[in-house]
Amino acid sequence: MEKDESTDSVLSLEPNLLHSATPGLYYHYEDDGSVHGYPQLFWDGRHPLFPDARERSVSSDPGASEVVARIQWWLDECTTMHEGCIQESTPLPTRIIDVGPSDGSKEPCLCLPPVGTQDRYIALSYCWGLSPGITTTADTLSAHQSRIPLDQLPRTMKDAVLLTRRLGVRYLWIDALCIIQRRLNLARDEEAIEDWQREASRMASVYSGAWITIAAAEARDKADGILLPRPEEIRCEIPLSASPIASDKPVYARVPFSTKPAPLEKRAWTLQESLLPPRMVEFRKEQVSFICRSKMLWESGAEGKVPGAARMAEIKGPMFFSPWDKSSYYPTERDMYLRRWYVNIGAYTLRQITNEADRLPALSGLAHQMQPIIGGEYHAGLWKEDFINGLLWRCTVYGGSRLPPREIQYLRREKEYRAPTWSWASLSGEVYYEYYRESHWEKFEGPRWPTRVLEVCTSPVGPFFDPMGLVRAGFVRLQGPVRTGALVMNTDRKYKRKDGMARKAIHLLTDNEDDEEAAMKAPQYGGQNVVAVCLFDQGDEWPIKMSCVQLLPDRGLLLKQRQHSEDYERVGIFLLENPIWFEDCPTKELVVV
């Protein structure tokens, strides 16, 4: 960042006023591409011209004593002054690491505390990566109860132990050491499988009970570490003029800190690890951030609060469980958390996961934590209390509301069974809950739920049989209006509705039933009656004839009947073009698997 020396213009600031976007000061900086915009002003300590401003310089060393002291200050403020963050005493997890004294005179060791033992502990959220590293197995469990050599731990785990000591906490939870892992010399380690299923179902209590969670945000691998070297801060000193208060204390301008997602935020398992804790400290590329259920704080001095209803997609970390405000946009606490659930499912399915079979287990902790709030049963990623809305996921369409979109990001089905076809977890790829993301989702008149859920059942996988985890089978029995439609490929994309609006959808659904009234009012394409637009889940599964179940006034499920069976499978959703297609439609009962 450079100030133009060819002019005599000087930045002027009024006392007690900090300009977050300063007119007349602009920067252009190249680092992996062109970066430009308004700079961020800061200074060291309190400045006489800006006594209420918080921006400050950050340390070049993420492990510096002043950084740890600031984390401790954040913790003290949060646990004593934030009403929404008050945490009752919680029991220790099944296994926990005793990090030993702060002077390092004793090696860490694995403890099995008596059931119900209460104490403060820290949890670690990190990327495993591919590098080899020490784990607890059935063979090493006894040895780890005696000692876990600090010098044998991967860098990220070692940093976590040292930070825990410096924060004055005795216990630390790390999944690789506190959950029994598979022995590599065994094709199937039954002891590890049972322990993993049991402990995975307890992730809600592990992370929500932690005093704080340390997030190794920038480490792509457990060998990288938490306290990574920071890039040099790009800054310049800004001269002040026309100030009624004399001050020799310099003011600086710097390139704003990066807001790009960190590697940790791209992994599926770490989503619930960020949402469940009451508070979390993130070690990012340029600075440390602190998030609790009341505030977001940065090492640079910036602050943030829980976003309003219009910015629900920005709910971040522990703020997910921020208390419900009765005067808010949502009539009930349950409505608020359902909305947050659907918004985060889209973000979750976009994240990477090593084993696609873990899609449901990696979210089971969050499901366990939300179950008392939402109520009812949970089946393969859907809540029975809101099952109709839960069925309305679809693939991601890029290009806004225009059809055809610039791109349809179809989903894909893995060879290994994961969930029933009506569950978003049955496919891989980013899903989108459009209906819950629209601000006008209650705009329709008439019966909101034309279809009833008569029965839903899923069979969890043993040996632990976590109802929020893996499933081996499932079905839903629906009763509602059902029509049969036929697919037409809109290859020339010239189809228009009767109101003249272009509807250049690729897949159209036509009424192949003899209905003269519908034929008169339906849009025409190629001499056929267009009744709906199809949005298929996969790019290679477009049945010619489909059963259409109306779930909401303007949309529903596309189903195909299984071969040699009376059951149906989901293939996508439809958006109605002809609003009277389902008028006087007889109801039908069918089973979707």
Side-chain angles (χ1 to χ4, degrees):
M1 186 190 304
E2 294 181 356
K3 184 169 67 72
D4 187 357
E5 300 292 343
S6 63
T7 68
D8 295 327
S9 61
V10 179
L11 172 68
S12 295
L13 296 175
E14 296 295 330
N16 302 319
L17 179 63
L18 174 64
H19 298 269
S20 58
T22 309
L25 187 65
Y26 200 72
Y27 74 82
H28 185 278
Y29 174 66
E30 292 186 0
D31 181 13
D32 298 327
S34 179
V35 180
H36 56 85
Y38 292 111
Q40 185 180 65
L41 302 181
F42 72 99
W43 42 86
D44 294 308
R46 294 178 60 85
H47 199 286
L49 296 181
F50 315 106
D52 298 324
R54 296 185 176 91
E55 294 293 338
R56 55 178 170 260
S57 61
V58 299
S59 173
S60 59
D61 177 11
S65 57
E66 61 263 31
V67 176
V68 177
R70 184 156 300 279
I71 295 172
Q72 188 69 65
W73 187 85
W74 286 333
L75 282 167
D76 292 342
E77 180 188 49
C78 175
T79 55
T80 58
M81 300 179 64
H82 296 172
E83 184 177 349
C85 299
I86 302 300
Q87 183 182 18
E88 298 179 358
S89 298
T90 56
L92 293 173
T94 306
R95 303 180 191 93
I96 196 79
I97 302 166
D98 184 339
V99 299
S102 58
D103 61 6
S105 58
K106 182 181 177 182
E107 292 272 35
C109 65
L110 192 63
C111 297
L112 278 67
V115 176
T117 303
Q118 296 184 351
D119 207 332
R120 291 191 311 183
Y121 66 93
I122 291 175
L124 175 65
S125 179
Y126 66 107
C127 294
W128 275 51
L130 300 176
S131 66
I134 185 173
T135 62
T136 296
T137 68
D139 294 338
T140 62
L141 177 60
S142 178
H144 285 180
Q145 288 179 254
S146 298
R147 63 187 289 266
I148 302 175
L150 189 62
D151 59 0
Q152 292 185 18
L153 289 177
R155 187 71 219 181
T156 298
M157 298 183 192
K158 183 177 181 180
D159 284 351
V161 169
L162 298 178
L163 281 169
T164 301
R165 289 174 175 175
R166 294 177 70 183
L167 290 171
V169 179
R170 179 179 177 184
Y171 296 112
L172 171 67
W173 191 90
I174 302 176
D175 55 2
L177 298 175
C178 297
I179 300 176
I180 295 178
Q181 306 295 320
R182 183 175 69 87
R183 288 168 284 192
L184 300 181
N185 61 330
L186 297 181
R188 183 176 175 84
D189 191 337
E190 295 293 345
E191 192 171 354
I193 292 173
E194 181 177 1
D195 192 75
W196 182 87
Q197 287 188 10
R198 179 174 55 251
E199 294 304 314
S201 72
R202 296 173 177 170
M203 288 300 97
S205 61
V206 169
Y207 280 96
S208 65
W211 186 54
I212 188 171
T213 292
I214 294 175
E218 299 295 339
R220 300 177 184 274
D221 190 284
K222 56 185 172 291
D224 292 347
I226 298 174
L227 308 176
L228 301 178
R230 290 178 172 176
E232 183 180 357
E233 189 176 68
I234 307 301
R235 63 155 82 179
C236 69
E237 185 174 341
I238 303 298
L240 301 178
S241 66
S243 171
I245 302 176
S247 175
D248 295 330
K249 198 173 187 65
V251 173
Y252 301 95
R254 64 185 167 207
V255 175
F257 293 119
S258 173
T259 57
K260 293 180 180 179
L264 190 69
E265 295 171 308
K266 300 176 183 179
R267 303 299 302 176
W269 275 100
T270 61
L271 176 67
Q272 66 176 12
E273 294 172 6
S274 70
L275 301 180
L276 291 170
R279 56 196 68 86
M280 178 167 61
V281 60
E282 299 177 316
F283 284 81
R284 294 186 166 271
K285 182 178 181 180
E286 297 162 317
Q287 63 174 327
V288 170
S289 66
F290 178 90
I291 310 172
C292 63
R293 289 173 183 166
S294 303
K295 282 187 177 182
M296 299 174 65
L297 303 166
W298 285 268
E299 187 183 344
S300 62
E303 288 191 11
K305 295 183 178 179
V306 179
R311 302 173 65 188
M312 284 305 300
E314 297 181 25
I315 285 291
K316 181 177 176 61
M319 285 187 173
F320 185 92
F321 285 101
S322 56
W324 171 62
D325 183 354
K326 293 183 179 180
S327 63
S328 70
Y329 172 81
Y330 303 99
T332 67
E333 183 182 38
R334 175 179 169 275
D335 289 334
M336 180 183 74
Y337 280 107
L338 278 171
R339 176 67 179 271
R340 292 183 182 182
W341 172 267
Y342 290 124
V343 168
N344 275 276
I345 288 297
Y348 174 71
T349 55
L350 186 60
R351 292 185 174 217
Q352 304 163 2
I353 194 165
T354 302
N355 184 4
E356 285 291 345
D358 287 346
R359 277 292 172 190
L360 287 172
L363 205 64
S364 64
L366 184 61
H368 275 285
Q369 191 76 354
M370 294 185 68
Q371 200 276 334
I373 301 171
I374 295 176
E377 301 171 2
Y378 175 86
H379 295 278
L382 279 69
W383 299 96
K384 189 176 181 181
E385 294 295 306
D386 198 51
F387 209 79
I388 295 298
N389 272 315
L391 291 169
L392 286 170
W393 52 271
R394 63 167 173 81
C395 63
T396 303
V397 175
Y398 295 99
S401 59
R402 297 174 299 164
L403 290 173
R406 292 196 301 270
E407 180 184 357
I408 298 178
Q409 196 70 40
Y410 287 113
L411 306 171
R412 64 186 184 279
R413 192 176 305 282
E414 307 292 341
K415 293 181 180 180
E416 185 179 357
Y417 179 88
R418 297 216 310 259
T421 62
W422 42 259
S423 168
W424 54 264
S426 65
L427 299 168
S428 297
E430 182 184 7
V431 303
Y432 182 73
Y433 270 103
E434 179 181 28
Y435 202 55
Y436 249 88
R437 292 183 69 141
E438 293 176 356
S439 59
H440 55 285
W441 60 278
E442 291 205 18
K443 65 181 180 180
F444 302 105
E445 299 178 357
R448 178 151 182 203
W449 312 115
T451 294
R452 294 170 54 210
V453 177
L454 301 180
E455 182 183 8
V456 59
C457 179
T458 47
S459 302
V461 173
F464 189 72
F465 301 103
D466 178 16
M468 272 70 168
L470 292 166
V471 299
R472 55 181 176 82
F475 70 87
V476 60
R477 190 183 305 276
L478 301 174
Q479 183 183 59
V482 180
R483 292 288 194 192
T484 302
L487 177 65
V488 174
M489 297 295 290
N490 182 17
T491 53
D492 58 13
R493 301 181 180 181
K494 293 182 179 179
Y495 158 63
K496 288 187 178 181
R497 301 193 307 200
K498 285 210 168 185
D499 59 10
M501 290 186 62
R503 193 66 156 165
K504 300 178 182 179
I506 298 175
H507 303 120
L508 304 176
L509 195 66
T510 61
D511 183 2
N512 67 349
E513 299 178 23
D514 187 12
D515 187 341
E516 292 186 4
E517 183 181 1
M520 291 176 63
K521 296 185 178 181
Q524 296 288 311
Y525 177 77
Q528 302 181 75
N529 306 317
V530 174
V531 293
V533 171
C534 303
L535 291 173
F536 289 107
D537 295 335
Q538 299 180 78
D540 58 352
E541 188 176 3
W542 303 336
I544 299 300
K545 186 176 180 180
M546 289 163 286
S547 293
C548 306
V549 185
Q550 185 186 25
L551 298 184
L552 295 177
D554 70 334
R555 66 194 65 194
L557 284 183
L558 292 173
L559 305 174
K560 72 170 184 179
Q561 192 166 5
R562 304 184 78 184
Q563 290 185 348
H564 313 300
S565 173
E566 296 183 356
D567 298 339
Y568 290 80
E569 295 179 352
R570 172 187 159 129
V571 293
I573 67 169
F574 66 86
L575 307 177
L576 270 178
E577 293 287 275
N578 181 4
I580 71 166
W581 191 38
F582 281 97
E583 285 187 7
D584 302 321
C585 177
T587 61
K588 180 180 178 180
E589 186 176 316
L590 44 77
V591 174
V592 187
V593 296

